[in-house]
């Protein structure tokens, strides 16, 4: 017992070191080793943003008007990066950036890191209804998703040249960018936004009002393999499309080429080659980029990041006091690597805390008798070499793989209709509702498959007198009080590891956000939203844990048994993604274009589906039941979705009971 407790303590210390060391490393990259001041502003009411603008006006002798509606209840969360070259005596250009849907400010980290280290002041924010920004912010900022407040805040900062402010967005963030350009550039209170890079997810350009973009340096980045743009604007051949040529002709009517040259700037005077790091001196210049990446790749690729750097260098030049850094020289990969180390430590920390809690008076009853478990394993575990045991199991995994492959698209399509956004389920129906429905259906089918396979094995072994049929649901059998204890244990671990996230956010100004993998702090009220989505998603993790417990063999090591379930969980979706993206890369079109937004989200599911069997196996080996692991997986991975999920439908707000 003492040896096991000591082992748990050592694991806890190692996990904590990894968690904080990774966060510290990411912070050092983000701050450029201390040369960039980075601050997170969490849950700031719009009234405080307006007050900050007023204070900044006095400090910088400016007259920026807060045109948004002040509020003491509607709150925003944002991050400000100020490089050392940006001072009141030497104000720098600023870039305000907005993430895409189902995301938050930190998904734009590679871009704001690279812009800030090149001397630009950057503000990245959680848009309305995402992360920790309230949905009501949208209406109070003239339907700009909160971007109006952030642009005016940037203009007011003493270290910013208010006449040199640009905006950029990814996907839905382009709609926010277009909206704020309409509001500010057609208004009379403040300086105009001078540059916009519409960075993949280009439908936002159709939201522009006449005159709003006049004189604005305008970049358009259309990813060649962007799932959204491939479906709606034909990104594979976009440079020769009427949309692209017409876009150039708006500023240079004489343009008559069949294809728009990329990386070349255009204005009323024609085409101009601009060396990177040199400011384009024309008025209303336009430049087209075709990075060879996917929709999520606009944020987590060297090409997507380089596009942002190249454009804002062209729009504003090298900021005064900063050195020119070529766009291909990028360090954000180190940032991501450190975050990966911290995130790995974070998951190990969850298991270490679980181990330590088993030694506490409150949860010690959950601890399985290790000797009894070993004896049970030796007597009751089947042999993988016994084909009557292994073949039915393999057939079941093949069936479930095919089921996932065939049903993801139709189930998510049906789920978005059957489970619409509501006060009870406030997240976007086409993601949370759709994926929740698929998870629920998959859980039911998997449970049925487990039962059928158990019956098949019983029939196959009926002549073997030494064979004892075991109910596959035995690992889920638990008394009511222990079930409550298991739920409390899982929730305690969940709260503990998220407390660590809060500490990391406060100390290092980073979150564990890597591409579409998203583990961040959240508003406490979202716990109640998570509990409601448990109704849809928890059955999957419970059944998966039962399946996990039934794939153990006496002649297979634990890691191999766990790997079988991990592969089984992701293989169907992996094959689906391979099919769709092979077609996209070869032809420029997804085979199922109507599900383009679904495919961009499915990538993030691969992480929960891979990690959940590992967590379930670890906890099962120490308790002899599946519930702690199943519920811990449910809490962690449902909050991953709910914590940053969008709730954009008018009249829907986050409430405790969903009423």
């Amino acid at each position: 017992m003492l040896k096991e407790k000591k082992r748990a303590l050592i694991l806890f210390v190692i996990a904590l070191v990894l968690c904080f060391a990774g966060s510290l490393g990411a912070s050092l990259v983000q701050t450029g080793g201390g040369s960039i001041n980075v601050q997170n502003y969490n849950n700031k009411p719009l009234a405080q943003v307006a007050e900050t603008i007023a204070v900044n006006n006095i400090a910088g002798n400016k007259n920026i008007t807060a045109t948004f509606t002040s509020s003491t209840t509607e709150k925003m969360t944002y991050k400000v990066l100020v490089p050392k070259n940006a001072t009141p005596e030497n104000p720098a250009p600023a870039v305000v950036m907005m993430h895409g849907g189902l995301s938050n400010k930190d998904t734009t980290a590679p871009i704001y890191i690279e812009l800030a280290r090149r001397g630009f002041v950057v503000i990245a924010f959680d848009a309305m209804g995402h992360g920790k920004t309230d949905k009501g912010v949208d209406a109070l900022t003239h339907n700009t998703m909160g971007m109006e407040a952030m642009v005016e805040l940037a203009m007011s900062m003493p270290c910013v040249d208010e006449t040199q402010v640009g905006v950029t967005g990814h996907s839905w963030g382009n709609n926010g960018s277009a909206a704020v350009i309409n509001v500010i550039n057609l208004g009379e209170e403040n300086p105009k936004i001078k540059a916009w890079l519409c960075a993949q997810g280009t439908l936002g350009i159709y939201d522009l009002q006449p005159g709003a973009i006049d004189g604005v340096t305008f970049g358009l980045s259309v990813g060649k393999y962007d799932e959204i743009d491939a479906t709606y604007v034909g990104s594979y051949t976009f440079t020769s499309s009427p949309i692209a040529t017409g876009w150039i002709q708006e500023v240079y009517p004489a343009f008559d080429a069949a294809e728009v040259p990329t990386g070349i700037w255009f204005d009323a005077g024609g085409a101009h080659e601009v060396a990177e790091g040199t400011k384009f001196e024309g008025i209303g210049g336009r430049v087209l980029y075709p990075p060879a990446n996917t929709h999520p790749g606009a944020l987590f690729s060297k090409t997507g990041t380089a596009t942002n750097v190249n454009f804002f260098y062209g729009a504003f030049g090298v900021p005064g006091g900063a050195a020119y850094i070529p766009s291909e020289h990028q360090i954000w990969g180190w940032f991501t690597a450190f975050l990966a180390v911290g995130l790995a430590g974070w998951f190990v920390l969850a298991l270490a805390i679980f181990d330590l809690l088993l030694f506490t008076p409150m949860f010690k009853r959950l601890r399985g008798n290790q000797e009894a478990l070993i004896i049970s394993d030796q007597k009751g575990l089947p042999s993988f070499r016994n084909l009557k045991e292994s073949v039915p199991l393999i057939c079941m995994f093949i069936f479930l793989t095919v089921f996932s492959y065939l049903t993801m698209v139709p189930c998510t399509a049906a789920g978005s209709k059957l489970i619409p956004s509501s006060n009870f389920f406030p997240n976007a129906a086409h993601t949370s509702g759709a994926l929740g429905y698929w998870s629920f259906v998959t859980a039911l089918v998997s449970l049925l498959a487990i039962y059928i396979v158990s019956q098949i094995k019983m029939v196959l072994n009926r002549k073997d007198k030494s064979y004892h049929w075991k109910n596959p649901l035995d690992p889920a059998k638990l008394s009511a009080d222990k079930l409550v204890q298991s739920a409390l244990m899982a929730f305690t671990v969940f709260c503990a590891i998220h407390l660590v996230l809060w500490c990391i956010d406060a100390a290092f100004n980073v979150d564990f956000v890597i591409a579409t993998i998203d583990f961040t702090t959240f508003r406490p009220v979202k716990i109640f939203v998570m509990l409601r989505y448990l109704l849809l998603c928890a059955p999957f993790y419970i059944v998966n844990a039962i399946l996990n417990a039934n794939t153990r063999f006496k002649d297979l090591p634990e890691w191999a048994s766990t790997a079988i379930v991990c592969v089984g969980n992701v293989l169907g979706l992996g094959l689906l993604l391979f099919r769709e993206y092979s077609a996209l890369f070869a032809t420029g079109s997804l085979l199922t274009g109507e599900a383009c937004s679904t495919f961009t989200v499915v990538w993030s599911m691969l992480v929960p589906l891979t990690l959940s069997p590992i967590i379930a196996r670890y906890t099962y080996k120490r308790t002899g039941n599946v519930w702690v692991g199943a519920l811990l997986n449910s809490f962690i991975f449902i909050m991953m979705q709910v914590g940053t999920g969008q709730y954009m439908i008018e009249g829907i707000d986050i409430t405790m009971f969903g009423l």
Side-chain angles (χ1 to χ4, degrees):
M1 184 73 74
L2 289 176
K3 184 182 292 186
E4 292 174 0
K5 190 172 184 179
K6 182 179 179 181
R7 189 184 301 119
L9 283 169
I10 292 173
L11 185 65
F12 175 81
V13 172
I14 292 174
L16 209 57
V17 169
L18 285 174
C19 203
F20 281 92
S23 302
L24 174 60
S27 178
L28 289 173
V29 175
Q30 181 177 251
T31 62
S35 64
I36 301 167
N37 181 33
V38 180
Q39 293 293 329
N40 278 340
Y41 295 90
N42 291 312
N43 304 311
K44 296 298 179 184
L46 282 175
Q48 286 191 19
V49 178
E51 290 170 7
T52 302
I53 291 174
V55 171
N56 287 344
N57 280 335
I58 296 172
N61 194 26
K62 294 185 177 184
N63 189 31
I64 303 300
T65 301
T67 59
F68 55 91
T69 302
S70 182
S71 170
T72 58
T73 57
E74 302 299 327
K75 300 173 182 177
M76 293 194 69
T77 289
Y78 53 96
K79 174 175 286 186
V80 180
L81 299 92
V82 180
K84 63 180 180 181
N85 60 284
T87 65
E89 297 75 29
N90 181 45
V95 179
V96 178
M97 53 199 324
M98 179 176 156
H99 57 80
L102 307 171
S103 190
N104 64 34
K105 66 184 188 307
D106 290 300
T107 56
T108 60
I111 297 169
Y112 64 59
I113 286 172
E114 296 300 335
L115 289 177
R117 68 187 285 253
R118 287 167 172 81
F120 296 92
V121 175
V122 186
I123 294 181
F125 69 102
D126 290 348
M128 70 92 172
H130 290 64
K132 295 187 285 292
T133 291
D134 288 319
K135 175 184 171 293
V137 162
D138 185 41
L140 299 178
T141 59
H142 294 97
N143 301 315
T144 64
M145 296 80 161
M147 206 168 191
E148 177 186 21
M150 296 295 98
V151 169
E152 291 171 352
L153 175 63
M155 288 179 171
S156 74
M157 294 172 64
C159 62
V160 169
D161 180 349
E162 65 270 28
T163 68
Q164 300 292 299
V165 173
V167 297
T168 186
H170 171 245
S171 193
W172 183 61
N174 290 315
N175 298 91
S177 296
V180 78
I181 290 171
N182 290 336
V183 169
I184 290 182
N185 284 15
L186 295 178
E188 299 179 355
E189 294 88 348
N190 296 313
K192 310 304 180 188
I193 293 170
K194 287 299 178 67
W196 176 28
L197 176 63
C198 183
Q200 294 190 221
T202 56
L203 294 179
I205 63 176
Y206 297 108
D207 294 340
L208 290 168
Q209 295 179 12
I213 207 72
D214 291 352
V216 173
T217 304
F218 191 177
L220 192 57
S221 177
V222 183
K224 186 175 181 179
Y225 306 115
D226 185 295
E227 303 89 328
I228 308 298
D229 281 343
T231 301
Y232 294 108
V233 299
S235 58
Y236 201 69
T237 57
F238 183 79
T239 55
S240 59
S241 69
I243 300 175
T245 55
W247 183 67
I248 296 298
Q249 288 167 352
E250 289 178 3
V251 293
Y252 179 45
F255 180 79
D256 60 358
E259 185 173 4
V260 177
T262 58
I264 302 297
W265 294 70
F266 288 86
D267 65 0
H272 309 271
E273 289 193 28
V274 179
E276 187 176 84
T278 303
K279 182 179 180 180
F280 176 68
E281 297 297 343
I283 298 176
R286 297 192 175 186
V287 59
L288 177 63
Y289 301 96
N293 54 39
T294 63
H295 195 68
L299 295 171
F300 276 79
S301 66
K302 291 195 70 173
T303 51
T305 303
T307 295
N308 279 266
V309 171
N310 183 276
F311 173 76
F312 285 109
Y313 265 153
F316 299 124
V318 177
Y324 164 67
I325 303 174
S327 59
E328 66 267 20
H329 292 175
Q330 301 175 21
I331 64 170
W332 65 268
W334 287 102
F335 175 82
T336 301
F338 280 121
L339 284 186
V341 171
L343 183 58
W346 190 69
F347 276 107
V348 174
L349 184 65
L351 299 180
I353 293 172
F354 159 78
D355 275 343
L356 291 174
L357 287 175
L358 286 176
F359 293 99
T360 63
M362 180 175 292
F363 298 114
K364 66 180 181 181
R365 286 184 64 232
L366 292 176
R367 186 174 185 83
N369 184 308
Q370 296 302 300
E371 292 184 1
L373 287 175
I374 293 172
I375 294 172
S376 174
D377 285 353
Q378 291 173 341
K379 289 185 175 181
L381 289 183
S383 169
F384 193 76
R385 294 187 181 92
N386 181 354
L387 298 183
K388 295 177 182 180
E389 290 285 351
S390 57
V391 171
L393 183 70
I394 292 171
C395 291
M396 179 180 68
F397 273 100
I398 293 174
F399 165 75
L400 292 177
T401 294
V402 174
F403 179 83
S404 295
Y405 175 83
L406 294 177
T407 61
M408 169 55 74
V409 172
C411 270
T412 50
S416 63
K417 298 175 182 177
L418 295 173
I419 310 174
S421 297
S422 63
N423 285 329
F424 193 79
F425 289 130
N427 282 26
H430 72 283
T431 53
S432 297
L435 295 177
Y437 180 76
W438 175 83
S439 298
F440 190 83
V441 171
T442 301
L444 293 180
V445 172
S446 298
L447 187 61
L448 180 62
I450 291 171
Y451 174 77
I452 291 175
V453 165
S454 73
Q455 296 301 304
I456 291 174
K457 289 195 296 183
M458 182 173 64
V459 171
L460 291 175
N461 290 278
R462 66 185 183 280
K463 295 182 179 180
D464 184 354
K465 295 182 179 180
S466 64
Y467 179 78
H468 297 285
W469 181 80
K470 293 182 68 175
N471 188 337
L473 299 183
D474 278 349
K477 290 182 178 179
L478 207 63
S479 62
D481 60 331
K482 279 194 173 183
L483 181 58
V484 172
Q485 273 191 312
S486 296
L488 184 58
M489 159 78 93
F491 190 69
T492 301
V493 175
F494 168 81
C495 291
I497 60 175
H498 277 84
L499 178 61
V500 172
L501 282 185
W502 280 101
C503 294
I504 289 170
D505 182 47
F508 304 115
N509 293 307
V510 298
D511 292 306
F512 292 143
V513 179
I514 305 173
T516 55
I517 305 169
D518 198 337
F519 298 97
T520 68
T521 58
F522 55 86
R523 293 273 188 88
V525 71
K526 287 193 175 182
I527 287 178
F528 298 96
V529 180
M530 175 192 74
L531 294 176
R532 298 200 290 273
Y533 276 100
L534 283 176
L535 299 173
L536 296 177
C537 302
F540 174 87
Y541 292 108
I542 295 169
V543 174
N544 198 244
I546 294 172
L547 177 63
N548 200 345
N550 280 276
T551 57
R552 302 174 66 229
F553 295 90
K554 60 186 176 184
D555 48 358
L556 275 186
E558 282 291 320
W559 69 264
S561 296
T562 306
I564 290 173
V565 183
C566 292
V567 172
N569 276 357
V570 302
L571 186 57
L573 298 185
L575 291 173
L576 175 64
L577 292 173
F578 179 79
R579 181 195 75 178
E580 293 291 334
Y581 283 85
S582 294
L584 177 62
F585 294 149
T587 67
S589 299
L590 293 163
L591 290 178
T592 319
E594 67 273 15
C596 56
S597 60
T598 297
F599 295 127
T600 63
V601 176
V602 167
W603 289 102
S604 64
M605 294 181 61
L606 300 182
V607 172
L609 292 178
T610 301
L611 292 180
S612 56
I614 299 172
I615 294 173
R617 178 83 71 178
Y618 189 93
T619 55
Y620 174 73
K621 284 288 288 182
R622 282 153 178 77
T623 62
N625 77 79
V626 301
W627 288 100
V628 176
L631 293 175
L632 180 57
N633 283 326
S634 300
F635 293 148
I636 292 175
F637 296 121
I638 293 174
M639 183 53 79
M640 170 187 167
Q641 174 182 299
V642 169
T644 59
Q646 59 186 165
Y647 53 111
M648 297 166 53
I649 309 302
E650 189 65 33
I652 294 178
D653 292 298
I654 295 293
T655 60
M656 183 176 295
F657 300 109
L659 302 177

